[in-house]
Amino acid sequence: MSMLQLPDKNGVLSPYKLTGTPIKPSPLPENPARVLFVAVHVVADPFSANDPSGRAAVDWRATLTFRRHLADLGLGIAESMDTAQRGMGLDWHGALEVIKQTLAELPDALVFNGAGTDHLDPADVRSIDDVKRAYFEQIEAIQAVGGRIILMASRALAKHAKRPEDYVEVYRDALAACDQPVILHWLGEMFDPALAGYWGASDFETSMETALAVITENADKVDGIKISLLDKEKEIGMRRRLPDGVKMYTGDDFNYPELIEGDEQGFSHALLGIFDPLATVAAHAVTKLTGGDAQGFRAALDPTVPLSQLIFRAPTQYYKTGVVFLAWLNGFQDHFVMLNGAQSMRPLPYFTELFRLADSCGLLQQPDLAVERMNRLLAMYGV
């Protein structure tokens, strides 16, 4: 079994022997018990001459190969969302190109695509009509290439809306422009501080009422809503009030096993960034659930929660670094370089603990490769 020397937080080395049994990839069955979307990362081109702060340079082969891996597992792809570093390295121009490439590569896959207002500088907004036009532009561009929509939260709207009714108006008009039902996205401020007070209120209950008003008024245009608030009670409370036929997609990267399993009053589907590194486990677990084995479902997913909690620890917006690190360890890309230089946004102890936790969960698909790459990272730090 593979072994290496790992440092503790004081730099003291001790031997570490891998103990995990890699989980064999297997696709979801037809008509699975839950719909699973993976908010998927983008692989940077390490040979680009672009500065990290400049326009995104994408490694298309690796980016599309990873999406093929997800589609082969029967998982849905949530394209060009925050896991793809949207607004943190991937601008709208780059996002649209990723969307086009994914749809061309995987014409039969379940793919929804992020439409927002991120090409609009909030400082340039004069009225909420400017926000509407920005939404219209991205919706039209995605639908022109045959894409389904995830309607992303808008920093510009959060800054310039003066009352909850402004949200109702903007979403009403944006949804009217969508030709198929969409997934709404309520992203908490822990993921993006610029979205504090979304839906026009500082407290959850008032914000939820506005979101529910939008959904109820436009229920024929809403497939579901993903909420990323890292609070299971808030999600459950809102889930129980959704109109019939509107799905709750959990975005809770801390409590997803319980929320997906559900209770006697309902359950959540999933649209999760953590399912990028957990794709094989997620497919395996929901296969168990589809067969009526709720205990097997929890036995597969529960051990992954400590890893997810570490990946998404504060500052939460830097969770993408952990996601891409695990993709590199597992051979889905040849390097650990990220858009906007984001590979530098976590310290060495974060990576060493991720390595240990990924091993314990059976996530290291090629143990020898993972050890070799971990040693390369350690060498860069002088270990």
Side-chain angles (χ1 to χ4, degrees):
M1 182 62 71
S2 300
M3 182 178 288
L4 73 167
Q5 298 283 325
L6 290 180
D8 63 17
K9 63 182 180 180
N10 297 314
V12 177
L13 294 174
S14 60
Y16 179 81
K17 181 179 180 180
L18 272 67
T19 59
T21 301
I23 295 173
K24 183 179 179 181
S26 59
L28 285 169
E30 292 188 11
N31 302 313
R34 304 289 185 268
V35 180
L36 304 183
F37 280 97
V38 179
V40 63
H41 76 282
V42 166
V43 183
D45 177 1
F47 302 108
S48 171
N50 294 359
D51 289 332
S53 59
R55 176 152 285 180
V58 175
D59 179 336
W60 291 110
R61 180 195 60 80
T63 293
L64 296 174
T65 296
F66 188 71
R67 283 149 177 74
R68 170 65 65 184
H69 160 69
L70 299 177
D72 287 346
L73 288 170
L75 302 174
I77 295 169
E79 185 56 87
S80 295
M81 302 289 291
D82 46 305
T83 306
Q85 296 179 249
R86 188 76 176 266
M88 295 182 68
L90 187 70
D91 63 10
W92 163 237
H93 171 86
L96 182 58
E97 186 58 32
V98 176
I99 289 167
K100 290 177 178 178
Q101 294 275 357
T102 297
L103 292 174
E105 177 74 13
L106 301 169
D108 299 321
L110 177 62
V111 181
F112 276 54
N113 309 275
T117 67
D118 48 317
H119 62 294
L120 178 65
D121 187 338
D124 294 335
V125 175
R126 297 293 174 263
S127 72
I128 61 170
D129 287 338
D130 294 328
V131 179
K132 290 182 191 180
R133 283 190 286 270
Y135 268 130
F136 296 157
E137 181 177 340
Q138 294 200 15
I139 291 168
E140 180 181 3
I142 293 170
Q143 293 184 159
V145 295
R148 297 286 299 272
I149 300 294
I150 299 171
L151 206 58
M152 299 173 66
S154 166
R155 292 174 177 173
L157 182 57
K159 181 174 181 178
H160 291 279
K162 295 180 172 56
R163 52 184 187 154
E165 290 77 12
D166 290 339
Y167 287 85
V168 174
E169 179 182 340
V170 169
Y171 275 87
R172 177 191 298 128
D173 290 354
L175 287 167
C178 297
D179 56 20
Q180 296 184 74
V182 313
I183 299 173
L184 301 179
H185 188 194
W186 183 354
L187 190 65
E189 63 185 281
M190 67 288 293
F191 289 92
D192 186 346
L195 297 176
Y198 210 73
W199 302 109
S202 58
D203 65 286
F204 170 73
E205 293 297 333
T206 304
S207 298
M208 180 179 68
E209 293 301 331
T210 302
L212 287 169
V214 167
I215 293 168
T216 300
E217 179 184 336
N218 304 279
D220 62 329
K221 287 296 187 81
V222 179
D223 171 82
I225 182 169
K226 164 189 163 76
I227 65 172
S228 300
L229 303 177
L230 303 182
D231 186 319
K232 66 180 181 180
E233 298 303 330
K234 291 177 180 178
E235 179 175 319
I236 292 169
M238 187 172 184
R239 184 175 76 195
R240 291 175 177 169
R241 295 186 57 191
L242 290 175
D244 290 344
V246 176
K247 302 180 186 73
M248 172 60 75
Y249 290 98
T250 186
D252 188 332
D253 300 280
F254 290 172
N255 301 290
Y256 49 93
E258 175 183 350
L259 291 164
I260 296 170
E261 181 185 10
D263 55 30
E264 67 282 354
Q265 297 185 54
F267 55 82
S268 297
H269 300 276
L271 197 166
L272 286 164
I274 192 56
F275 278 2
D276 182 304
L278 296 187
T280 55
V281 182
H284 170 74
V286 171
T287 296
K288 294 282 188 182
L289 191 62
T290 303
D293 184 2
Q295 184 176 357
F297 166 81
R298 292 298 293 267
L301 271 193
D302 283 353
T304 68
V305 171
L307 177 139
S308 187
Q309 290 173 336
L310 177 60
I311 288 178
F312 285 82
R313 77 178 192 191
T316 303
Q317 63 264 36
Y318 299 133
Y319 76 88
K320 297 93 169 173
T321 300
V323 167
V324 175
F325 172 66
L326 291 176
W328 175 58
L329 288 184
N330 276 317
F332 290 114
Q333 53 197 82
D334 296 331
H335 58 84
F336 182 34
V337 174
M338 296 177 65
L339 303 181
N340 211 27
Q343 70 273 7
S344 65
M345 299 311 296
R346 295 294 200 186
L348 179 59
Y350 174 87
F351 298 121
T352 56
E353 185 61 19
L354 272 189
F355 184 90
R356 293 185 178 96
L357 290 172
D359 170 39
S360 70
C361 295
L363 290 178
L364 300 180
Q365 295 293 312
Q366 303 177 67
D368 289 340
L369 176 66
V371 167
E372 185 269 330
R373 291 188 168 182
M374 189 69 209
N375 276 326
R376 283 162 55 186
L377 181 73
L378 293 171
M380 188 177 70
Y381 282 87
V383 176

